[in-house]
Amino acid sequence: MSASPSVGQPVSRLEGYQKVTGSARYAGEYNVPGLLYGYVINSTITKGKIIRFDVEKAKALPGVIAIFTHENRPSLAWFAQQYSDMDAPQGSPFRPLHNADILYNGQPIALVVADNFEMARYAATLVKVEYARENFDTGLKENLLKARPPKTGLANFLKPLPPHPKGDFEKAYSDSFARASGEFEHGTEHHNPLELFTTTTIYEGDGKLTIYDKTQGTINSQLYVGNIFGLHYKDIRVIAPYVGGAFGSGLRPQYQLFLSVMAALELKRSVRVTLDRTQMFTFGHRPPTVQHTRFGAGQNGKITALNHLAVAETSRFEDYTEVVVNWSNMLYPAQNTLMEYKLVDVDVFSPLDMRAPGGLTGMHAIECTIDQLACKLNIDPLEFRLINYAETDDSADRPYSSKELKECFRQGAEKFGWSGRHMRPRSMRRGNKLVGYGMAAGIWEAFQIPARAVAIITPEGKLEVSSAVTDIGTGTLTVMTQIAADELGLPVEAVTFSYGDSKMPFAPIQGGSFTVSSVGSAVKASVKALREKLFKAALKMDNSIFKGYKIGDVDFEGGRILLKSDHSLSLSFSEIIIANKGKAIRAGKFSIPDFLTLRKYSRAAHSAVFVEVEVDEDLGMINVTRAVTAVAAGKIINPKTARSQILGGMIWGISKALREETISDHHLGKYMNRNLAEYHIPVHADIHDLDVIFVEENDTIINELGTKGVGEIGIVGMPPAIANAIFNATGKRVNQLPVHLESLL
């Protein structure tokens, strides 16, 4: 191993220069000779049928090549569509241009292809569509009485249903010394990453395609294209080295991929399809959800009863589900529990995973009810959580592989200055501003998915590692390079990590905070196997200096194998390659979780969030002035990129609590603020003093790296901590997110 390991060090992003100078190319930035451009036409009604298209004026324009609708689209394989998408929920996925039926407002119904983007966009405005309208229903709250349990099936295997009830909740709640309850409403949100969804399909001839796609899974897009269009996977190459944010919106193949490939195959030309900002509101979203909680506790502060019901929207054609109600009994022991999760079918596109799906929604309701219960008992909210601290996962009757939440509480409270909090609301002020302190716990389950990587020592003695994994801006390239470098005792500069290409070894979609644990474990395993091959090759050399020794007797450092007992005895990788007739030495490994061991444990990252808010007493304006998040997430491979992930989650938590929502008009059945002028997100002036603490957590069970992931844990605790701080400042509990100013006036 290297004398100066890079794992655990704050290494700057290796692709940072390319990104800040603009030399990093995204899916819509590849220069392709003879490229055609597609522009999508979307339905302007919410439900019904297409009667006819009038395309004559559009087709007459110079440069318009084709206009595709359901009436003239090419025949397709449509093979096993549900299982060609790693993130497909239970049901029948949406098929673009499948037939005349309109299922939701904004549905793609036609594609105009021209020799330049501007002409395609203009021609799209000239296409006239005649519809037969049908009655629709897009309101969740108006249909709560129609809520039903989700359908069960293999899809979404990472999203377990609520645990079975325990004890007698109703009696325990009725007998509780203190009770707290609430109704919580979460509106619709859309992902809105900076990079628009774009696919550039290069037609190579003979049915072969090279596709530059905005995606969180190159192999996922490859599988989708192969199955939908009946192509051999080997003839499809999907490339996505740079992804300008996604937050879950790129987990499923979006319709621009389908339309770009369809047009390219039919026209035998290269075609690029880019969705504009308005069209980014026509697929996937965080679903609106209504929740009810009832928590009870004894006079000693011990929680005795937990009830959490969540009702969320889904589409008419798929059962999109989230893990919303499972978290409270994982955090807080209770002998009497009742957890329920239901869906309401409405005329919208299927919701889609959005950073910390379900966890962000559920933790708001849970942690605000916990805060309310603590106040009723006149116990400090931090002390109340310590009284009810769970050393094991009570919901599954299993120990945690590791859990340092208590240390998160201690370090976060000390850094924030929680001891200075006043229990009585409206008792802290700065001029005309009411000041409030709030806190919340956070939890996100730690997963690992099978993945593969290949490691090679080149004839020049350099290490090259590859995986099909994408990097959606999280620092994946840098972290994988660090893992590989340490495993072979090399500096980061001596390692090349290639990624974002479906021709490379298998990687799952990038999401769920499982990428480092999954692909990182595969990288470690492949380089470890490469070490063994290098040592075996060194043993085969004539008069090998390592004859009689085993791999445990040597070190790998600086591009050499050295005898531990005498570093003067060494061989360089280059010497070993020369002895190997100049041939590169290669090792590939699939990393598969040890399910038999892991099933005995619950695995989760934890956080403690502390927030200060100022609320203008006259205007109701809310400002998050400072916040501290303490995180326990196993081994932190790169504290610089990990800190960036947590800060991004904290900022988005502020947005979720105070700014962000998609406004629906249920009379029209459509979203009304489909732009970044009216879809409000924080700007620089909204963000103040944010701090991150990584608590040391040594997990020897979860995987060989000891990692848990940090993508989601940074956001889940922020909205409830903010809501609890608002209560401490104003004495008002506002359970609808985002918090509107009028709620505090």
Side-chain angles (χ1 to χ4, degrees):
M1 304 294 285
S2 171
S4 301
S6 65
V7 167
Q9 299 303 308
V11 178
S12 296
R13 293 172 185 267
L14 300 180
E15 83 285 13
Y17 178 84
Q18 288 83 353
K19 287 184 173 178
V20 300
T21 59
S23 59
R25 286 192 293 177
Y26 295 81
E29 298 182 321
Y30 289 88
N31 295 321
V32 181
L35 182 66
L36 299 177
Y37 296 82
Y39 192 85
V40 179
I41 298 174
N42 301 84
S43 167
T44 57
I45 71 166
T46 302
K47 191 174 184 179
K49 290 186 180 295
I50 299 169
I51 301 301
R52 61 183 293 272
F53 288 97
D54 182 352
V55 300
E56 296 309 313
K57 287 184 179 179
K59 287 180 69 174
L61 292 173
V64 172
I65 306 298
I67 300 176
F68 293 98
T69 70
H70 71 278
E71 297 173 339
N72 68 339
R73 65 157 172 79
S75 60
L76 305 168
W78 295 116
F79 172 74
Q81 186 177 15
Q82 181 172 1
Y83 301 104
S84 61
D85 174 3
M86 296 181 194
D87 199 48
Q90 200 71 23
S92 178
F94 171 71
R95 291 170 163 84
L97 309 193
H98 183 51
N99 54 33
D101 294 341
I102 300 298
L103 305 179
Y104 70 96
N105 198 291
Q107 175 178 318
I109 57 173
L111 179 73
V112 178
V113 181
D115 57 16
N116 65 80
F117 175 78
E118 289 76 12
M119 184 56 73
R121 181 172 59 181
Y122 174 61
T125 67
L126 301 182
V127 174
K128 305 303 178 187
V129 188
E130 183 181 337
Y131 301 99
R133 298 171 185 264
E134 298 175 12
N135 294 331
F136 56 82
D137 202 339
T138 59
L140 170 65
K141 290 188 67 178
E142 294 81 359
N143 290 283
L144 292 176
L145 294 178
K146 298 179 182 178
R148 58 169 178 82
K151 301 181 181 75
T152 57
L154 292 175
N156 284 343
F157 71 97
L158 290 179
K159 298 178 177 180
L161 294 174
H164 295 297
K166 291 191 306 181
D168 186 341
F169 166 78
E170 296 295 348
K171 183 177 186 306
Y173 183 72
S174 177
D175 293 345
S176 296
F177 176 81
R179 293 185 290 270
S181 62
E183 179 177 320
F184 298 82
E185 295 181 22
H186 286 241
T188 304
E189 296 173 71
H190 281 83
H191 303 73
N192 277 308
L194 186 62
E195 181 195 10
L196 298 169
F197 270 83
T198 302
T199 301
T200 302
T201 301
I202 301 174
Y203 185 78
E204 308 280 9
D206 297 325
K208 291 182 170 60
L209 303 174
T210 298
I211 303 169
Y212 296 97
D213 191 33
K214 161 59 173 269
T215 179
Q216 289 175 247
T218 57
I219 288 178
N220 198 30
S221 291
Q222 178 194 41
L223 292 172
Y224 176 85
V225 170
N227 285 343
I228 297 304
F229 295 96
L231 304 176
H232 292 295
Y233 300 139
K234 64 182 177 60
D235 292 334
I236 307 160
R237 183 182 180 188
V238 179
I239 302 172
Y242 300 106
V243 180
F247 320 124
S249 61
L251 291 172
R252 302 191 70 179
Q254 301 302 353
Y255 63 75
Q256 92 290 335
L257 171 63
F258 171 91
L259 295 172
S260 174
V261 171
M262 178 199 70
L265 288 171
E266 181 69 7
L267 300 174
K268 296 180 169 50
R269 296 275 301 274
S270 299
V271 178
R272 174 176 296 156
V273 177
T274 302
L275 304 185
D276 63 25
R277 181 57 62 181
T278 299
Q279 291 167 332
M280 299 285 277
F281 290 79
T282 60
F283 58 86
H285 54 278
R286 194 190 300 278
T289 306
V290 176
Q291 302 175 76
H292 295 269
T293 57
R294 292 183 293 163
F295 293 179
Q299 191 170 0
N300 60 357
K302 288 281 190 179
I303 295 172
T304 56
L306 295 170
N307 169 225
H308 191 175
L309 163 68
V311 182
E313 80 168 20
T314 191
S315 68
R316 301 276 186 196
F317 45 90
E318 288 179 311
D319 266 23
Y320 172 79
T321 62
E322 294 182 333
V323 179
V324 179
V325 303
N326 301 25
W327 309 100
S328 60
N329 199 209
M330 292 180 70
L331 281 171
Y332 306 110
Q335 296 304 307
N336 304 280
T337 64
L338 176 60
M339 310 299 171
E340 302 170 273
Y341 178 75
K342 297 181 179 180
L343 297 176
V344 171
D345 306 303
V346 288
D347 296 305
V348 298
F349 190 83
S350 298
L352 179 62
D353 289 348
M354 191 173 188
R355 196 173 194 167
L360 179 61
T361 305
M363 288 307 296
H364 169 233
I366 293 164
E367 289 300 285
C368 288
T369 309
I370 288 289
D371 191 81
Q372 183 183 351
L373 194 54
C375 290
K376 287 197 171 186
L377 288 162
N378 199 31
I379 300 175
D380 177 87
L382 175 55
E383 178 62 26
F384 184 66
R385 286 170 172 83
L386 291 173
I387 290 171
N388 290 283
Y389 190 81
E391 297 290 353
T392 61
D393 178 2
D394 203 51
S395 69
D397 194 24
R398 290 189 301 232
Y400 284 99
S401 61
S402 62
K403 183 182 178 183
E404 293 292 345
L405 177 57
K406 193 172 289 185
E407 191 62 17
C408 291
F409 286 145
R410 187 189 69 80
Q411 292 187 31
E414 182 179 343
K415 182 82 172 180
F416 180 81
W418 181 258
S419 60
R421 177 184 185 269
H422 294 189
M423 280 283 290
R424 185 169 57 85
R426 303 181 68 89
S427 59
M428 295 190 291
R429 288 178 173 270
R430 291 191 189 108
N432 71 324
K433 306 285 179 61
L434 297 167
V435 177
Y437 289 1
M439 69 155 298
I443 184 172
W444 183 258
E445 285 197 273
F447 300 107
Q448 183 184 348
I449 310 295
R452 188 170 185 268
V454 169
I456 301 172
I457 288 292
T458 68
E460 297 75 31
K462 301 290 186 183
L463 173 60
E464 295 181 353
V465 185
S466 60
S467 166
V469 67
T470 57
D471 185 340
I472 58 174
T474 55
T476 304
L477 163 63
T478 308
V479 168
M480 298 303 162
T481 305
Q482 289 177 261
I483 293 169
D486 275 17
E487 195 62 31
L488 206 57
L490 292 170
V492 167
E493 299 77 26
V495 179
T496 300
F497 180 69
S498 301
Y499 65 104
D501 190 330
S502 64
K503 75 173 185 178
M504 295 174 182
F506 172 83
I509 50 180
Q510 183 175 27
S513 296
F514 54 64
T515 296
V516 171
S517 297
S518 304
V519 180
S521 294
V523 168
K524 184 178 178 69
S526 66
V527 180
K528 186 177 181 179
L530 182 63
R531 278 195 310 171
E532 295 171 355
K533 284 194 171 185
L534 276 168
F535 185 67
K536 286 181 181 179
L539 287 176
K540 291 178 181 178
M541 293 173 64
D542 294 337
N543 302 314
S544 173
I545 61 174
F546 297 127
K547 281 204 182 295
Y549 291 103
K550 297 180 179 179
I551 194 166
D553 300 322
V554 299
D555 286 327
F556 288 76
E557 186 174 327
R560 306 183 72 84
I561 304 179
L562 309 94
L563 196 63
K564 283 183 178 179
S565 58
D566 184 0
H567 273 199
S568 66
L569 294 177
S570 69
L571 283 173
S572 71
F573 296 166
S574 297
E575 290 174 293
I576 298 170
I577 292 292
I578 291 170
N580 195 48
K581 300 179 181 179
K583 296 178 182 177
I585 297 176
R586 180 179 190 272
K589 278 288 181 181
F590 239 110
S591 176
I592 300 175
D594 181 2
F595 293 113
L596 290 177
T597 298
L598 292 177
R599 66 186 296 182
K600 301 174 185 176
Y601 298 89
S602 290
R603 294 94 60 196
H606 293 88
S607 67
V609 183
F610 299 84
V611 167
E612 177 189 271
V613 300
E614 289 182 349
V615 181
D616 188 299
E617 190 171 18
D618 299 319
L619 303 177
M621 295 177 63
I622 308 161
N623 196 18
V624 176
T625 48
R626 60 190 184 94
V628 174
T629 295
V631 176
K635 178 72 174 176
I636 304 300
I637 303 295
N638 185 328
K640 188 172 188 178
T641 55
R643 173 182 166 83
S644 179
Q645 283 292 288
I646 301 299
L647 287 174
M650 293 172 73
I651 292 167
W652 200 345
I654 294 171
S655 184
K656 167 74 174 173
L658 303 178
R659 300 281 188 277
E660 193 166 341
E661 64 177 331
T662 312
I663 306 298
S664 299
D665 185 325
H666 297 306
H667 297 291
L668 300 175
K670 63 188 291 187
Y671 303 121
M672 304 305 293
N673 56 331
R674 298 177 296 174
N675 55 70
L676 291 185
E678 296 169 305
Y679 185 87
H680 296 156
I681 57 177
V683 297
H684 287 293
D686 296 316
I687 305 303
H688 301 287
D689 182 11
L690 304 182
D691 203 357
V692 178
I693 299 169
F694 288 113
V695 171
E696 185 174 345
E697 185 174 60
N698 181 29
D699 195 319
T700 59
I701 294 168
I702 196 157
N703 55 57
E704 196 172 352
L705 291 168
T707 55
K708 292 183 175 180
V710 295
E712 267 85 5
I713 193 63
I715 189 174
V716 290
M718 277 295 288
I722 293 169
N724 291 337
I726 291 171
F727 170 76
N728 184 240
T730 66
K732 291 186 177 183
R733 292 213 177 265
V734 183
N735 293 339
Q736 181 177 4
L737 295 189
V739 178
H740 295 157
L741 303 184
E742 62 269 21
S743 301
L744 299 175
L745 293 178

